[in-house]
Amino acid sequence: MLRQLTSPRVRLRHSNLLLQQRATLPRQHLHVRSVSVLSGISKLAGRTAGRGALGLGLGAGALTWADQKVDGFKTNVVGTLNSISTSLGESYVNLSDKAAENISTIANTLSSTAGTISEGAAETWADAAAGLDRMRERLKERFNARDGDEDGSEQSGRGAPPPPPPSASHLAGAAALSAAAAPFQLSTDDTVPGGQPAAGGDDLLMLTKKLIEIRTILLSIGEESGLTLPSIVVVGSQSSGKSSVLEAIVGREFLPKGDNMVTRRPIELTLIHTPPTSSNPAPLTTAEFPGLGMGQLTDFEKVQQTLLDMNLSVPASECVSSDPIHLRIYSPSVPDLSLVDLPGYVQISSMDQPAELKDKIAGLCEKYIKSPNIILAVCAADVDLANSPALRAAKKVDPLGLRTVGVVSKMDLVDPAIGGEVLSNKRYPLALGYVGVVAKVPKGGPRRGLRRIGGAGTGEEEAGSLVRTLRDNEDAFFNGNQEFFSREGINVGTETLKKRLMEVLESSMSSSLHSISNAVGIELEEARYRFKVLYNDRAISAEGYVAETMDSLKGRIGELGREFSKKDVRALLKGALDEQVLDLLAGFYWNDERVAELSSNSPPPAPTTTKGGRPGPSEGEGYWERKLEAISGALTKSGVGRSSTQLVVDAIRGKLAGIGQEEPLVHHPNAGERVIDTADGILRERFALTSDQVENSVKPFKYEVEVEGQEWEVGRARAVELVQRELGMCEAALGKIRDAVGGRKLRGVMEFVGELEEKERRKRERRVLRGEDEEEEEEVHRPSFNPILLEKAREAMFLSSRAGVLRMRLLALKSKKCKAGPDQKSYCPEAFLNVVADKLSHTAVQFINIELLVEFFYQFPREIDSRLGYDLDRAEVLKFARENPLVEKHLTLQERKEKLELVAEKLDTLVKLQRERAAQQNPGRRPDSARKGGLFGSMF
C-alpha cells in the first residue's frame, strides 16, 4: 500500500493526497506495531533456538527499524520535491499563456499599422496620380481649344492652365511629393486679390501671421540663439533687380534710389495682410516705422525719403552698418511675410567708395543668410547663374539648396527659350527651385496716379499701386511665350513668387516650431526663477514708479517747507545782517585811529556848550554819534528787502539742488533740471513783490530806531559773542602765519616792516609841514627778505593790531558803561547795531513768509505734478523709469518674462493647430495617446 502511493507517477499527479495520508497516519502506531511483531518472533525463536536465535532476531529487528527510518526520510524528501515541481509547472503554464497573448497582440498591432500605412500611401499615390491625369487632360483640352481658335486670341493667365482646386488630402499629397521630389508650379488662379490663398488656405494664413507675430515679439526680447524664427533674406548684386522684386511684392515704390550706394543698412520689412471687412471694405496701404513714432504713413514718397535719410545717416567712411531699419507695411495686396533687404553685392569698389566695402557687405550678408533664415537669391536673367554672387554666397551656407529660393528677374531681356532653360532647375538645381519675374514697370505705365479707381473689396487698386500694372505686364510677356514657360516645373510671375514665399516661410517656421517652443520653455523657466529669487514675484510698472517718485519728491518738498519756518528764516537773515554789521564796524570804527577814545579807561572828553548856554555833547561824543548815524543809515538803506529776499531764494535753490543729488532724482538729471526750472519760475514771479514789501516795511528804521532796555541787553550779549568770534578768527589766522614762518623770524620781519612804515610816515609829515621836497636819506640796510615773506609780515601786523582793537572793544562791551543802557550807544556801537539788525530781521521775515514762502510751497508741488506726472506720455514714462538702473533691471526681467509667457501661449496654440492639421491630413494615423505605451505597452 505504501509502495504504491510513493510511485513516481502517483506522486506527480496526486502529491497532495499523499501528504494528507502521511499527515493522518500516526507515527507512534506504526512503531508499536513493528515492535510487537518482532517480539513475537523473538519469543518463538527463543523457545525454539535458544539464546543464539534470540541474538539473531534482535539484529534483524534493528536492521528493520533502520530501514523504516530511511524509508520515511526518503518519503519526506520526495514529497517536498513534488511540491516544488508542481509550483514550477503552474508558473511555466501561466508564463507561456501570457507570452502567447502578448505575441498575438504585437502581431495584430503590426498588421494593423502596416495596413494603415499601406492604405494611406495607396490613397495618396492614387490621388496624386489622379490629379496628374486630370492636369494632363486639361492641358490637352486647352491646347486643342487654342489651336482651333480662328482669330488666334490667347487665353488669359500665365503658365499652365490651372487645375480645379484640390481638396485638403490632395494638398497634403502634393506637398509630400514636392518635398521629396522637385518644386511644383503654383497657379495664380488659386488666390484672392492681394496674393492670399483662397478659403482652403485660411489655416496657412493664420499660422503664418501668428508666427510672424511671435517672431516680432522674440526680436523685441533679444537676439539670443534659439529664440529666432526664420525670415526671408533678400540678397543679390546691385544690378540684379533686387529692389524691383521687393517693390513688386509690395506693389509700391518705397525703396530709396540713387546713383551711389544708398542701401547701407539692413531693412527688416514685415508685410501684414489687411483683408477687407464689413467696417472697412477698402483698407488703405499704409507704412509704419515702429522705432520713429511717425504713425501710419500713406504717402510712400515720404517713406522712400525717410529710408533714404536713415541709410545716408551712415557715413561713407563706415560703408555699411549692421543696425537694422524696421518697417511695417499694411496692405490688402500683400501676403504675410517677414523680409530682410540687404545691401547689394559689389564686385569692385569705385574710386569714391572705401576699399573694404566689398568685404563688409559680404560679411553683413553672411550674418543674415545663416540658418534658419530662408535665402531669396535674386539673379538677373541676362547674367549667367554661374556668375551670380547671390547664388555663390547661398551655396556656402546652404550647399544643398534646401532653404534657397532662386528669383530670376528681367526675364524680358533674354530670349524666352533661354529663360525657360534657366527656370528648368537643371543646370544649377535648387530644392525650392526658381521663379521668373518681370518686376520692372514698363515706361509710360502709371507710377503714382492721383486718382483712386476703386477699392480692395472690388478688386481694383488704389492710387499709386503697381499691382495691376505689373500683373498685366507679366501676363502679356509670359502668355505670349507659353511654349517656353508652360512646361512642367517652371514657375513664373510675381503672384506665384508671393505664394511660394508664403508656403516656404510657413514650412520653415513650422519645422522650427518645436525647437523654438522648447527653447522658449527653457528661457521662460529661467526668467521665472530669476524673477522669483531676485524680486519675489513682485511686479512693478513704469507708471507706478513715476507715481512713487512724485510722492517721494513731494514729501521731500514738505520737509523742505518745514525747514524754512519763521525761526529758521529769521536766523538766516540775522546771520547775514551780523556779517554786514561786522563789515561796517571794521570799516568805520576798528580802523579809526581814534577808536581808543571809546575805551572805558580813556578820560572823558571836555563837554561843549550850545548857543543857548546849555551843555552839549563833547567833541568826541559828537564825532562818534555822527559816525553811528552814518553806519545805521548804511545798514537800513543798503537794500535790505532785495538782499534778504535774494538770500532766502538762494537758500531754497541750494536745498533743491541738494534734493536733485539724492534719491530718487539722482538717477534722473533731466527731471532734476526740470524741478529747478519749475522752482525758478515760481520764485522769479514772487521775488519782486516780496522784496518791495520788505523794503516798505523797514523804511521807518531808516530814520529812527527805538531801543528798550531788554533789547539793549540782548543786543549787547550778542555783540560780545560776535566780537569774541572775530577775535578768535584773528588769533587763529595769526597763529597759522607764525607756524608757517616761525616766531623769531616773523618778529624780525615785522620789526623791519615797522621801521619802513615809520620812516614813510615821518616823510609824509615833513612834506606836509614844510611843503617842499627834501633830499632822501640813506636807505636802511635791508636784509634779504623775499616779497612773500614781507607780505606775510604785513598781514601778521594787521591781524595783531586788529586783535588788540577787538580785545579793547570786548572789554568795553563788558564794562559798566555799556551795561548802563541805550544811552551809551555811541560808546557801544556794536550793541546798538546788533539791536537794529535784529529788528530788521524780525520785520523782514513776516513779509517773506507771507509773500514768498507760503505761496511757493503751495504752488510748487502742484506744478511738479503737472510737469513731471501728468504731462508725460507713455514713452516718456518708460524712459523716466528706465533711467534708474535698479528699476530698469527689474522692468527688463519682468517684461522678458511676460513676453516669453505670451510667446509660450501662442506657441502652444500653434502646436495644437499643427497637430489638428496633421490629424486632418492623415485621418488613418493613430493619435499619440494610442502609442503612448510603446510597442510593448500592452505587455508591461
Side-chain angles (χ1 to χ4, degrees):
M1 185 72 179
L2 291 174
R3 293 183 182 275
Q4 290 180 356
L5 288 176
T6 57
S7 62
R9 182 176 180 182
V10 175
R11 284 200 306 270
L12 183 60
R13 296 182 60 185
H14 305 287
S15 59
N16 293 334
L17 180 60
L18 176 63
L19 292 175
Q20 291 176 1
Q21 291 177 355
R22 296 294 295 175
T24 56
L25 186 61
R27 185 175 300 176
Q28 186 178 4
H29 176 71
L30 292 176
H31 178 70
V32 171
R33 183 179 178 185
S34 299
V35 172
S36 62
V37 173
L38 293 176
S39 299
I41 297 174
S42 63
K43 289 179 180 180
L44 181 62
R47 289 185 186 139
T48 58
R51 294 184 182 271
L54 180 60
L56 182 61
L58 290 174
L63 291 175
T64 302
W65 180 80
D67 181 72
Q68 182 181 359
K69 292 296 184 180
V70 173
D71 188 40
F73 176 77
K74 290 170 60 179
T75 301
N76 292 333
V77 172
V78 171
T80 302
L81 294 176
N82 288 336
S83 299
I84 294 173
S85 177
T86 302
S87 300
L88 292 175
E90 292 176 354
S91 300
Y92 176 78
V93 171
N94 293 334
L95 183 61
S96 300
D97 295 340
K98 191 68 174 179
E101 292 177 0
N102 290 336
I103 293 172
S104 177
T105 302
I106 292 171
N108 294 333
T109 302
L110 292 176
S111 177
S112 175
T113 304
T116 301
I117 294 174
S118 300
E119 291 175 2
E123 291 177 359
T124 301
W125 285 106
D127 292 342
L132 292 175
D133 292 336
R134 286 195 296 270
M135 185 182 297
R136 292 192 188 96
E137 293 297 328
R138 187 63 61 87
L139 287 173
K140 290 180 181 179
E141 292 176 3
R142 291 290 178 90
F143 281 118
N144 292 335
R146 186 180 292 107
D147 293 338
D149 195 354
E150 293 180 359
D151 56 1
S153 62
E154 297 178 349
Q155 299 290 335
S156 63
R158 71 176 65 83
S167 62
S169 62
H170 294 167
L171 288 175
L177 289 175
S178 66
F184 54 93
Q185 181 175 0
L186 299 170
S187 174
T188 60
D189 295 339
D190 194 23
T191 61
V192 296
Q196 298 294 325
D202 289 341
D203 291 342
L204 176 63
L205 283 177
M206 182 174 63
L207 181 60
T208 306
K209 185 182 290 291
K210 288 185 177 294
L211 287 173
I212 291 178
E213 293 176 358
I214 291 173
R215 180 183 179 275
T216 303
I217 298 175
L218 292 177
L219 286 178
S220 65
I221 294 176
E223 294 288 345
E224 292 87 351
S225 58
L227 289 182
T228 54
L229 283 171
S231 296
I232 299 174
V233 181
V234 185
V235 294
S237 62
Q238 289 188 355
S239 60
S240 61
K242 179 169 56 71
S243 298
S244 299
V245 171
L246 282 175
E247 291 178 342
I249 294 174
V250 176
R252 292 281 184 156
E253 286 191 60
F254 68 96
L255 292 175
K257 305 291 193 304
D259 297 333
N260 201 351
M261 191 185 75
V262 293
T263 304
R264 302 180 181 181
R265 297 171 58 183
I267 301 177
E268 295 190 358
L269 177 63
T270 303
L271 304 182
I272 302 172
H273 178 68
T274 54
T277 59
S278 57
S279 60
N280 187 16
L284 295 175
T285 299
T286 59
E288 178 187 12
F289 292 93
L292 301 182
M294 301 174 62
Q296 300 285 337
L297 303 177
T298 56
D299 185 3
F300 277 80
E301 289 185 350
K302 187 174 182 180
V303 175
Q304 191 176 41
Q305 184 62 40
T306 303
L307 287 174
L308 180 61
D309 295 339
M310 296 179 72
N311 276 285
L312 294 182
S313 64
V314 180
S317 59
E318 296 183 10
C319 308
V320 293
S321 171
S322 59
D323 185 20
I325 301 173
H326 297 278
L327 174 62
R328 298 174 186 169
I329 295 181
Y330 304 83
S331 175
S333 60
V334 299
D336 290 301
L337 291 176
S338 177
L339 303 166
V340 180
D341 181 28
L342 297 175
Y345 289 102
V346 295
Q347 300 298 326
I348 301 176
S349 301
S350 60
M351 294 296 296
D352 57 346
Q353 293 175 342
E356 65 272 13
L357 176 62
K358 178 180 178 181
D359 296 335
K360 285 193 173 183
I361 293 178
L364 180 62
C365 293
E366 185 176 357
K367 172 186 174 182
Y368 274 90
I369 63 178
K370 291 180 179 179
S371 181
N373 288 339
I374 301 161
I375 306 171
L376 187 65
V378 181
C379 316
D382 55 348
V383 178
D384 191 358
L385 295 184
N387 298 325
S388 171
L391 288 178
R392 190 181 305 114
K395 284 291 185 181
K396 292 181 180 179
V397 296
D398 184 25
L400 301 179
L402 299 178
R403 52 185 182 88
T404 303
V405 179
V407 177
V408 183
S409 62
K410 306 179 183 181
M411 292 294 297
D412 55 339
L413 299 184
V414 297
D415 186 79
I418 299 176
E421 183 65 24
V422 171
L423 298 178
S424 62
N425 198 24
K426 294 180 180 178
R427 296 184 60 187
Y428 305 98
L430 297 175
L432 300 178
Y434 294 87
V435 179
V437 296
V438 181
K440 195 69 174 178
V441 179
K443 294 183 179 180
R447 309 288 290 187
R448 292 183 175 90
L450 299 178
R451 69 187 188 284
R452 181 181 178 88
I453 303 174
T458 61
E460 298 180 350
E461 59 186 10
E462 58 181 317
S465 176
L466 306 176
V467 176
R468 175 177 294 180
T469 305
L470 291 172
R471 183 187 299 131
D472 294 342
N473 187 33
E474 285 186 329
D475 287 345
F477 176 75
F478 291 118
N479 289 337
N481 300 279
Q482 287 196 3
E483 63 274 15
F484 303 106
F485 301 115
S486 61
R487 289 178 294 176
E488 183 178 359
I490 294 181
N491 304 313
V492 294
T494 303
E495 298 298 327
T496 301
L497 176 61
K498 290 181 182 180
K499 188 174 181 183
R500 167 59 61 84
L501 294 179
M502 285 183 60
E503 293 187 348
V504 171
L505 182 62
E506 188 272 340
S507 176
S508 179
M509 286 186 171
S510 298
S511 62
S512 304
L513 198 58
H514 290 284
S515 61
I516 192 66
S517 179
N518 294 335
V520 167
I522 295 173
E523 293 291 334
L524 178 58
E525 288 300 323
E526 180 183 356
R528 285 174 174 171
Y529 175 76
R530 291 179 59 197
F531 195 70
K532 175 68 175 178
V533 171
L534 295 178
Y535 307 110
N536 197 23
D537 287 338
R538 180 176 61 88
I540 63 172
S541 64
E543 292 79 3
Y545 173 75
V546 172
E548 291 178 2
T549 303
M550 293 300 102
D551 292 342
S552 175
L553 180 59
K554 288 187 289 186
R556 189 68 184 88
I557 292 172
E559 295 177 1
L560 180 62
R562 289 187 290 273
E563 293 177 7
F564 281 87
S565 62
K566 285 185 178 181
K567 180 180 179 181
D568 297 323
V569 176
R570 187 183 302 115
L572 179 66
L573 296 179
K574 184 62 168 56
L577 289 173
D578 286 343
E579 294 297 326
Q580 191 172 356
V581 166
L582 291 176
D583 292 339
L584 291 173
L585 288 172
F588 284 86
Y589 275 87
W590 298 340
N591 290 335
D592 197 324
E593 295 179 353
R594 299 176 58 181
V595 68
E597 297 177 2
L598 298 177
S599 175
S600 59
N601 298 325
S602 61
T608 60
T609 56
T610 62
K611 294 180 179 180
R614 291 178 299 178
S618 63
E619 182 181 357
E621 185 177 355
Y623 174 79
W624 295 113
E625 285 184 356
R626 291 190 299 271
K627 187 176 284 279
L628 181 61
E629 290 177 359
I631 295 176
S632 178
L635 182 64
T636 56
K637 296 178 182 179
S638 59
V640 176
R642 175 172 291 274
S643 61
S644 59
T645 306
Q646 185 65 48
L647 181 66
V648 175
V649 168
D650 292 341
I652 294 175
R653 295 185 78 257
K655 293 287 186 180
L656 291 177
I659 292 176
Q661 301 300 321
E662 301 173 356
E663 290 285 351
L665 293 182
V666 66
H667 304 294
H668 311 287
N670 294 332
E673 293 177 0
R674 192 174 297 184
V675 168
I676 296 296
D677 293 341
T678 304
D680 286 345
I682 300 175
L683 293 174
R684 193 181 304 112
E685 180 183 354
R686 307 297 305 177
F687 181 83
L689 178 62
T690 304
S691 61
D692 290 344
Q693 292 288 348
V694 174
E695 286 289 348
N696 293 332
S697 66
V698 299
K699 277 184 179 180
F701 299 108
K702 297 180 180 179
Y703 305 102
E704 183 180 4
V705 179
E706 296 181 356
V707 181
E708 298 180 356
Q710 184 178 1
E711 293 175 344
W712 174 265
E713 186 61 29
V714 173
R716 189 189 66 81
R718 177 63 179 165
V720 170
E721 294 178 2
L722 292 177
V723 173
Q724 286 179 343
R725 189 190 68 179
E726 193 74 11
L727 178 60
M729 293 172 61
C730 287
E731 291 177 347
L734 183 60
K736 287 183 179 180
I737 296 176
R738 186 179 294 111
D739 293 339
V741 177
R744 182 179 300 178
K745 187 175 183 179
L746 181 61
R747 284 193 299 270
V749 179
M750 291 173 63
E751 291 176 357
F752 175 76
V753 173
E755 293 176 0
L756 291 178
E757 291 180 352
E758 181 65 20
K759 181 180 178 182
E760 293 294 331
R761 185 181 63 81
R762 290 176 181 176
K763 283 183 178 181
R764 288 194 298 269
E765 289 179 353
R766 285 195 295 268
R767 290 193 185 100
V768 171
L769 293 175
R770 298 180 180 180
E772 57 183 6
D773 296 336
E774 295 182 355
E775 294 181 1
E776 296 183 359
E777 300 179 359
E778 296 181 0
E779 294 184 358
V780 182
H781 176 69
R782 297 187 178 184
S784 58
F785 296 128
N786 59 46
I788 297 178
L789 187 58
L790 295 175
E791 185 67 26
K792 290 291 183 180
R794 291 188 178 93
E795 184 179 354
M797 293 175 65
F798 169 78
L799 292 174
S800 179
S801 173
R802 175 60 56 87
V805 173
L806 291 175
R807 291 188 188 96
M808 181 182 63
R809 294 309 306 154
L810 190 60
L811 292 174
L813 288 171
K814 293 179 180 180
S815 66
K816 293 181 180 180
K817 191 174 182 178
C818 281
K819 290 180 180 180
D823 295 338
Q824 303 297 326
K825 61 181 181 180
S826 59
Y827 289 98
C828 301
E830 295 88 354
F832 177 75
L833 293 177
N834 194 276
V835 172
V836 174
D838 193 62
K839 287 180 175 292
L840 291 176
S841 62
H842 275 76
T843 305
V845 75
Q846 304 295 331
F847 292 92
I848 290 176
N849 182 69
I850 295 173
E851 299 294 340
L852 179 66
L853 296 177
V854 173
E855 292 295 329
F856 174 78
F857 288 108
Y858 175 78
Q859 296 181 15
F860 186 53
R862 289 159 178 79
E863 290 292 331
I864 289 297
D865 263 343
S866 176
R867 299 191 182 188
L868 289 183
Y870 302 134
D871 291 348
L872 299 180
D873 56 15
R874 174 63 180 172
E876 291 175 336
V877 168
L878 288 175
K879 180 181 178 181
F880 180 87
R882 292 184 179 275
E883 287 177 351
N884 189 332
L886 298 178
V887 176
E888 197 275 338
K889 183 179 179 181
H890 193 160
L891 286 176
T892 299
L893 183 58
Q894 177 178 314
E895 182 181 358
R896 179 181 178 85
K897 182 179 76 72
E898 292 174 352
K899 288 184 177 181
L900 286 173
E901 289 174 346
L902 178 61
V903 169
E905 182 180 355
K906 290 180 177 291
L907 287 174
D908 290 341
T909 304
L910 292 183
V911 169
K912 292 179 181 178
L913 177 63
Q914 194 177 37
R915 290 176 180 174
E916 292 175 359
R917 290 179 58 191
Q920 292 176 0
Q921 294 176 359
N922 302 284
R925 186 178 180 182
R926 297 173 61 191
D928 293 342
S929 59
R931 301 184 286 109
K932 187 174 181 181
L935 185 61
F936 299 97
S938 59
M939 179 183 298
F940 301 102

